[in-house]
Amino acid sequence: MLGNFTYCNPTKLYFGKAAVENLRTELPGYGKNVLLVYGGGSIKKNGIYDQVVSILRECGKTIAEDAGVMPNPTVEKLHEGIARARACKADLILAVGGGSVCDYAKAVSVSVNCDEEPWDKYFIRFEEPTCPIVPVACVLTMVGTGSEMNGGSVITNHAQKLKIGHVFGEEVFPKFSILDPTYTFTLPRYQMISGFYDIMSHILEQYFSGTDDNTSDYLAEGLLRSLIHSAPAAAKDPTDYEARSNIMWTATWALNTLIAMGKDTDWEVHMLGQAVGAHTDATHGMTLAAVSMAYYRHILPYGLARFIRFAVNVWGVDPAGRTDGQIAEEGLRAMEKWMKELGLVMNLRELGVTEDMIDGLVKSTLVMKGGYKVLTEDEIRSIFKESL
Amino acid sequence: MLGNFTYCNPTKLYFGKAAVENLRTELPGYGKNVLLVYGGGSIKKNGIYDQVVSILRECGKTIAEDAGVMPNPTVEKLHEGIARARACKADLILAVGGGSVCDYAKAVSVSVNCDEEPWDKYFIRFEEPTCPIVPVACVLTMVGTGSEMNGGSVITNHAQKLKIGHVFGEEVFPKFSILDPTYTFTLPRYQMISGFYDIMSHILEQYFSGTDDNTSDYLAEGLLRSLIHSAPAAAKDPTDYEARSNIMWTATWALNTLIAMGKDTDWEVHMLGQAVGAHTDATHGMTLAAVSMAYYRHILPYGLARFIRFAVNVWGVDPAGRTDGQIAEEGLRAMEKWMKELGLVMNLRELGVTEDMIDGLVKSTLVMKGGYKVLTEDEIRSIFKESL
């Protein structure tokens, strides 16, 4: 049964080859000063930087730059961004990059005019912005986080060993995003397949919750089947436009609030993975992959009916002649096989985790309440141990 | 492969029991004069009219009324609505009803400040509005058309024997819509199941097109499975909230542009059905049901691969031991069985069509180009004959 909800997603998307040209349509709607936010500089090598800057100049914008956004953007970097946005009196923050860059741009956006410490206000106390927001737009170069069409923003505090996400309301969503699948072609393989698993994890976190019948779960199954079909083709040939375009579109809908409407959601895999990220700085999607199988096998008995549905509807497991438990396990086995064939990291050691770090990981793991089992500290510890 | 597209759907939705209370949040954002648009008066019997009017009054609005919107809104009625909106200087057009009422409200919205004849401008020449638009909002009382979250507007011209739909851009979409599944409980059975098939037809019109792999088609399959599951439960017990809420949500996503993104679409069933509607004034969903089986059996050879996928992924047909043609036909048989069990009208005679009307129907049928076969006049005639 769908619970009550409000749905609104006003982000405008320009999708396809040469979609960046649509910047010309959108830019006149904003003031003169643009803060161009990006990461480690790969956009300078693949030509995206030049394309964007030349359109900004043609549209008469004054460009200030904020480069060097790291894969897990830090509180320190956030303060640097705030200072830059204030210095240039930014009318628009244009994020050119993947989810980290877009997440970071949103964090800057709600902090530029904020008198309080943004880490405390937004990521510890989970408050909503009470100050004017600087609009954000996005040119996406890596898929996975859905940040191009949602209010999510994840920031890492290394001093506190915390990596925390805040999901802001629709006024913080990017005003528009440019999604050109060819912009993702040059992404290194490790980041690419890590992003693919991030997408799958987003869908699963919303799917593995609730016991009733719900349109959202049928949509989730559709997205999963599309991803399962396209990811191996993209891994084989990263320039397969059909696969990359479908994955890009799936990623957006995997985390733009639609498939969470009217239902509970889990998100415990993200809490486990984010704890690993805070301690190791490992790539986000790989931290999720490394803990997923142990987590799902652990909660399977508490959500058996959904795991059976997952096996049959998503992985095409034939239920004939199998017990309920066997059907459910067969679905997880199919998922594990798919993950291994993609080349995902299936254990924590490979991400730099050692046994003596586990107590720290347990301490950094937030416990969520929407899934099939609210984890105890002992359960979290044993999931980390099984994932080593 | 996803073709290039722009996606934007800014309509805000309030979904669930007592969702009408959210009018209090939205109304202060609009001027004083509200044109309340509704149909035959069923909202006065079931109490929805009183709820809406009392909230409008509490919010200090001046209410003008435009009642009597018919199931297939006419050009004459449109001109009446324009006059009423002008007379009350409407700041907001609030449509309380089903798709016809909402479609009609949009047609009024783009015509109030228009100096040209709106039928010619919007429905014959398919032009976009060049005048200021009066914002539309919607309180939905019947599901099916998706009009609560799209730019669609279908108007009938009896003098010209034409029923034509225009899909307007996002500035014409309702600003917000109230979706309370309990508001649909009192709908007469015939209208209810007709709406269910309208939903299915919307999905199929977008699904039966293209031969490539596309995330949109996976989403369409998810929506179809949800609808196939919920519709019989709702037909058995119209107050089954789980079924009615899922159907309401499925209907919205079946026709709010999402599952058409990046692909061709068909819409020939709607053209056949709308011709029947223009000649008989029959209920929209039933006109679609009556022509669908003949149409899909006719185009099956031209889109065999998609019909096989439809059979397997949507209806769970086991392909083992069957030829391609048998698998595909088995899927259509499953659909036909589901339609009959719902109680849909499966032939045109029941809708008042006689053999001598067929030439007129053929003449009124627009030919679409996105499906698996562009129909000739002879093919259209034979589909109508087979549907008698």
Side-chain angles (χ1 to χ4, degrees):
Chain A
M1 188 184 94
L2 287 162
N4 285 14
F5 61 84
T6 302
Y7 177 87
C8 184
N9 197 323
T11 302
K12 186 163 195 165
L13 302 174
Y14 295 100
F15 191 100
K17 286 177 189 164
V20 75
E21 292 299 324
N22 293 289
L23 274 176
R24 293 179 214 280
T25 315
E26 290 290 336
L27 287 173
Y30 300 87
K32 201 176 163 57
N33 301 318
V34 175
L35 182 66
L36 187 65
V37 174
Y38 56 99
S42 62
I43 60 167
K44 291 201 172 169
K45 283 176 219 144
N46 58 28
I48 296 172
Y49 175 88
D50 289 339
Q51 285 182 3
V52 170
V53 164
S54 96
I55 295 174
L56 284 167
R57 288 207 182 116
E58 279 172 49
C59 294
K61 302 296 177 186
T62 305
I63 307 169
E65 297 209 7
D66 180 12
V69 179
M70 54 290 282
N72 294 313
T74 62
V75 177
E76 292 76 17
K77 178 68 189 165
L78 171 57
H79 281 282
E80 189 191 318
I82 296 166
R84 284 178 193 272
R86 285 176 181 166
C88 76
K89 296 191 168 52
D91 297 306
L92 175 70
I93 303 174
L94 184 60
V96 183
S100 303
V101 174
C102 196
D103 275 25
Y104 167 82
K106 286 180 236 172
V108 174
S109 140
V110 296
S111 304
V112 177
N113 299 308
C114 174
D115 296 330
E116 302 164 77
E117 165 54 44
W119 171 257
D120 294 336
K121 181 179 174 73
Y122 298 125
F123 299 93
I124 296 293
R125 301 200 303 270
F126 289 98
E127 290 175 18
E128 288 306 300
T130 44
C131 58
I133 292 164
V134 181
V136 167
C138 171
V139 177
L140 200 65
T141 64
M142 176 185 170
V143 307
T145 71
S147 194
E148 67 276 13
M149 203 192 191
N150 67 33
S153 177
V154 182
I155 297 294
T156 297
N157 187 320
H158 284 298
Q160 297 177 15
K161 293 264 182 229
L162 288 173
K163 178 178 175 181
I164 297 179
H166 184 149
V167 181
F168 291 100
E170 71 246 22
E171 68 283 3
V172 184
F173 287 29
K175 300 302 171 202
F176 65 90
S177 289
I178 306 285
L179 280 68
D180 182 339
T182 68
Y183 278 18
T184 68
F185 283 2
T186 55
L187 196 73
R189 183 179 188 79
Y190 190 84
Q191 268 66 36
M192 176 183 75
I193 60 170
S194 170
F196 294 170
Y197 191 73
D198 194 23
I199 303 166
M200 173 165 272
S201 184
H202 292 156
I203 309 172
L204 296 180
E205 298 271 30
Q206 298 167 89
Y207 182 71
F208 282 119
S209 183
T211 54
D212 49 355
D213 184 61
N214 189 310
T215 301
S216 296
D217 294 322
Y218 289 94
L219 287 169
E221 288 170 354
L223 292 174
L224 285 167
R225 292 174 75 153
S226 182
L227 178 67
I228 290 163
H229 180 83
S230 286
K236 198 172 160 197
D237 175 8
T239 67
D240 179 336
Y241 189 84
E242 177 161 290
R244 297 307 288 272
S245 62
N246 283 321
I247 292 169
M248 190 172 228
W249 195 222
T250 297
T252 298
W253 288 89
L255 197 58
N256 68 359
T257 80
L258 174 64
I259 63 169
M261 285 297 115
K263 61 166 297 185
D264 288 330
T265 53
D266 182 347
W267 294 109
E268 193 58 50
V269 169
H270 267 68
M271 296 307 112
L272 295 161
Q274 285 176 194
V276 175
H279 285 253
T280 63
D281 219 27
T283 303
H284 175 64
M286 294 305 188
T287 67
L288 306 174
V291 300
S292 279
M293 293 318 301
Y295 175 72
Y296 286 122
R297 291 208 163 98
H298 184 81
I299 65 162
L300 185 148
Y302 305 96
L304 181 61
R306 180 56 51 93
F307 280 93
I308 292 171
R309 180 174 162 173
F310 178 62
V312 175
N313 289 3
V314 176
W315 295 99
V317 171
D318 182 356
R322 289 192 167 100
T323 66
D324 284 357
Q326 285 168 340
I327 301 166
E329 173 55 30
E330 199 55 43
L332 288 184
R333 254 203 293 270
M335 173 171 149
E336 193 171 26
K337 183 166 174 281
W338 179 88
M339 291 171 74
K340 284 181 178 167
E341 285 173 2
L342 262 189
L344 292 162
V345 174
M346 302 298 285
N347 67 79
L348 288 173
R349 277 194 207 282
E350 224 174 293
L351 300 176
V353 175
T354 50
E355 192 128 18
D356 59 304
M357 291 165 69
I358 284 182
D359 279 342
L361 292 180
V362 173
K363 228 172 176 169
S364 298
T365 303
L366 303 185
V367 177
M368 304 303 279
K369 293 192 170 142
Y372 290 117
K373 174 74 178 72
V374 179
L375 298 184
T376 65
E377 223 180 84
D378 279 351
E379 289 178 307
I380 294 172
R381 183 173 292 104
S382 93
I383 289 166
F384 278 130
K385 280 192 179 168
E386 281 164 40
S387 306
L388 265 181
Chain B
M1 188 183 92
L2 286 162
N4 285 15
F5 62 84
T6 302
Y7 177 87
C8 184
N9 196 325
T11 302
K12 187 163 196 165
L13 302 175
Y14 295 100
F15 191 99
K17 286 176 189 164
V20 74
E21 292 298 324
N22 293 290
L23 274 177
R24 292 179 214 279
T25 315
E26 291 290 336
L27 287 174
Y30 300 87
K32 202 176 163 56
N33 301 319
V34 176
L35 182 66
L36 186 65
V37 174
Y38 56 97
S42 62
I43 60 167
K44 292 203 171 169
K45 284 177 216 141
N46 58 27
I48 296 172
Y49 175 88
D50 288 340
Q51 286 180 5
V52 170
V53 164
S54 96
I55 295 174
L56 284 167
R57 288 207 181 116
E58 279 173 48
C59 293
K61 302 297 178 187
T62 304
I63 308 168
E65 299 208 5
D66 181 13
V69 180
M70 56 291 283
N72 293 313
T74 63
V75 177
E76 292 76 17
K77 178 68 189 165
L78 172 57
H79 280 282
E80 188 191 317
I82 295 167
R84 284 178 192 272
R86 286 176 181 168
C88 76
K89 296 191 169 52
D91 298 306
L92 175 70
I93 301 174
L94 184 60
V96 183
S100 303
V101 174
C102 196
D103 275 25
Y104 167 81
K106 285 180 237 171
V108 174
S109 142
V110 296
S111 304
V112 176
N113 299 309
C114 175
D115 296 331
E116 301 164 77
E117 164 55 44
W119 171 259
D120 294 337
K121 181 178 173 73
Y122 298 124
F123 299 93
I124 296 294
R125 300 200 304 270
F126 289 97
E127 290 175 18
E128 287 308 300
T130 44
C131 58
I133 291 163
V134 181
V136 167
C138 170
V139 177
L140 200 64
T141 64
M142 177 185 168
V143 307
T145 71
S147 193
E148 66 276 13
M149 203 191 190
N150 67 33
S153 177
V154 182
I155 296 294
T156 296
N157 187 320
H158 284 298
Q160 297 177 16
K161 293 265 182 229
L162 288 172
K163 179 178 174 182
I164 296 178
H166 184 149
V167 181
F168 291 100
E170 71 247 22
E171 68 282 4
V172 183
F173 287 30
K175 300 302 172 203
F176 64 90
S177 289
I178 306 284
L179 280 68
D180 182 340
T182 68
Y183 278 18
T184 67
F185 283 1
T186 55
L187 196 72
R189 184 180 188 79
Y190 191 84
Q191 268 66 37
M192 177 183 76
I193 60 170
S194 169
F196 294 170
Y197 190 74
D198 193 22
I199 303 166
M200 172 164 275
S201 183
H202 291 156
I203 309 171
L204 296 180
E205 299 270 31
Q206 298 166 88
Y207 182 71
F208 283 119
S209 182
T211 54
D212 49 357
D213 184 59
N214 188 310
T215 301
S216 295
D217 294 323
Y218 289 95
L219 287 168
E221 289 171 354
L223 291 174
L224 285 168
R225 292 174 75 153
S226 183
L227 178 67
I228 289 163
H229 180 83
S230 287
K236 199 173 160 198
D237 174 8
T239 67
D240 178 336
Y241 189 85
E242 178 159 290
R244 298 305 290 271
S245 62
N246 282 322
I247 292 169
M248 190 173 227
W249 195 221
T250 297
T252 298
W253 288 90
L255 197 57
N256 67 0
T257 79
L258 174 64
I259 62 168
M261 286 296 115
K263 62 166 295 185
D264 288 329
T265 53
D266 182 346
W267 295 108
E268 193 58 50
V269 169
H270 267 66
M271 296 307 112
L272 295 162
Q274 285 176 194
V276 175
H279 284 255
T280 63
D281 219 27
T283 303
H284 175 62
M286 294 305 188
T287 67
L288 306 173
V291 300
S292 279
M293 294 316 303
Y295 175 72
Y296 286 123
R297 290 207 164 99
H298 184 80
I299 66 163
L300 185 147
Y302 306 96
L304 182 62
R306 181 56 51 91
F307 280 93
I308 292 170
R309 179 173 163 175
F310 178 61
V312 174
N313 289 3
V314 177
W315 295 99
V317 171
D318 183 358
R322 289 191 167 101
T323 67
D324 284 358
Q326 285 168 340
I327 299 165
E329 173 55 30
E330 198 56 43
L332 287 184
R333 254 203 293 270
M335 173 171 149
E336 193 171 26
K337 183 167 174 280
W338 179 88
M339 291 172 74
K340 285 182 178 168
E341 284 172 4
L342 263 188
L344 291 162
V345 175
M346 303 297 285
N347 68 78
L348 287 174
R349 277 195 206 281
E350 225 175 292
L351 300 176
V353 175
T354 49
E355 192 127 18
D356 59 305
M357 291 164 68
I358 285 182
D359 278 342
L361 292 180
V362 173
K363 228 173 178 167
S364 298
T365 302
L366 302 185
V367 176
M368 305 303 280
K369 294 193 169 142
Y372 289 117
K373 174 73 178 71
V374 179
L375 298 184
T376 64
E377 223 179 85
D378 279 350
E379 288 178 308
I380 294 172
R381 183 173 291 105
S382 93
I383 289 166
F384 278 130
K385 279 193 180 168
E386 279 163 41
S387 305
L388 266 181

